[in-house]
Amino acid sequence: VLVVDGDASLLMALGGLVTVSTQAPARYLHILANNGTQFTGGSNLKVPGNQQVDFPGMALAAGYKHARRIDSLADWIAQLPSLMAMVGQSTSRSCR
């Protein structure tokens, strides 16, 4: 299972992290795009405090087996094969 999530979306539904960890899927990659913006249909709103939020730490605290922060496209490309091969739910965070 591959999930692509946004920072605003995850902040509004943090219980989803616990739901995933409770189900403990063997093949699950949760990608979080941290762009600091929430689209509301009419305009984009800034996500309050999202740069201070430790999303990987929250995932680990909720029971995810793996979590890491990825800050560059080059790092994302380099790590993607190992992320896809990982067993146990995992999460990665990409910034801007």
Side-chain angles (χ1 to χ4, degrees):
V1 175
L2 177 65
V3 175
V4 179
D5 210 348
D7 50 348
S9 175
L10 184 59
L11 284 171
M12 290 188 284
L14 288 172
L17 296 176
V18 175
T19 300
V20 169
S21 67
T22 300
Q23 295 302 308
R27 304 282 297 163
Y28 182 89
L29 179 61
H30 190 168
I31 301 165
L32 178 66
N34 183 12
N35 64 2
T37 303
Q38 175 186 3
F39 181 70
T40 62
S43 64
N44 291 332
L45 301 174
K46 294 287 181 195
V47 176
N50 80 317
Q51 294 303 319
Q52 292 80 28
V53 175
D54 178 10
F55 288 106
M58 291 168 64
L60 291 170
Y64 276 51
K65 290 182 176 37
H66 314 278
R68 65 180 73 164
R69 179 182 175 135
I70 300 172
D71 288 321
S72 72
L73 179 58
D75 199 17
W76 170 247
I77 292 168
Q79 292 190 44
L80 186 57
S82 68
L83 290 170
M84 295 297 288
M86 210 176 267
V87 175
Q89 72 270 19
S90 63
T91 185
S92 66
R93 175 180 178 207
S94 297
C95 294
R96 299 192 207 282

